[in-house]
Amino acid sequence: NDTAPFDESSNKTVLVIGSGVYRIGSSVEFDFCSVEAVRTLRRLGYKTIMLNYNPETVSTDYDESDKLFFEEISLERVMDIYDAEAPAGVVISVGGQ
């Protein structure tokens, strides 16, 4: 773990990757995890970018994050967004019960 102090003048943008499309057996807790990650990061002063591909989730609501990418969750798409946006960090948000 890096223990160096965070440089406040640096990029304060974080990419949060949602859990994607729901499948049989998955639950809304996965979406709730990504939404809470975004809300917490925003309270801490970070700008947030959400990547998710599920039209029926709160995480794809345009009011939840500073920028929304409604795209497939694949290595290629994640890297395209990462290269274009150059976030300071990435949160892979796959949580739940």
Side-chain angles (χ1 to χ4, degrees):
N1 291 334
D2 185 8
T3 58
F6 184 76
D7 180 7
E8 292 295 326
S9 65
S10 69
N11 179 2
K12 287 191 73 171
T13 303
V14 176
L15 170 63
V16 177
I17 301 174
S19 57
V21 178
Y22 293 153
R23 291 168 180 77
I24 294 173
S26 67
S27 183
V28 296
E29 286 85 4
F30 293 104
D31 181 59
F32 185 72
C33 182
S34 60
V35 170
E36 284 302 304
V38 165
R39 289 177 180 172
T40 300
L41 287 164
R42 290 179 91 183
R43 276 194 306 271
L44 293 172
Y46 289 90
K47 291 189 182 230
T48 57
I49 303 167
M50 171 61 73
L51 167 60
N52 206 351
Y53 185 67
N54 190 339
E56 300 191 24
T57 66
V58 175
S59 65
T60 54
D61 183 342
Y62 289 100
D63 295 335
E64 285 298 327
S65 58
D66 295 296
K67 189 176 269 191
L68 171 65
F69 285 91
F70 190 75
E71 302 281 345
E72 66 176 329
I73 299 174
S74 65
L75 176 61
E76 293 81 12
R77 187 61 52 220
V78 170
M79 293 309 298
D80 288 344
I81 293 168
Y82 183 84
D83 291 341
E85 298 294 325
V90 177
V91 173
I92 301 172
S93 179
V94 182
Q97 293 177 320

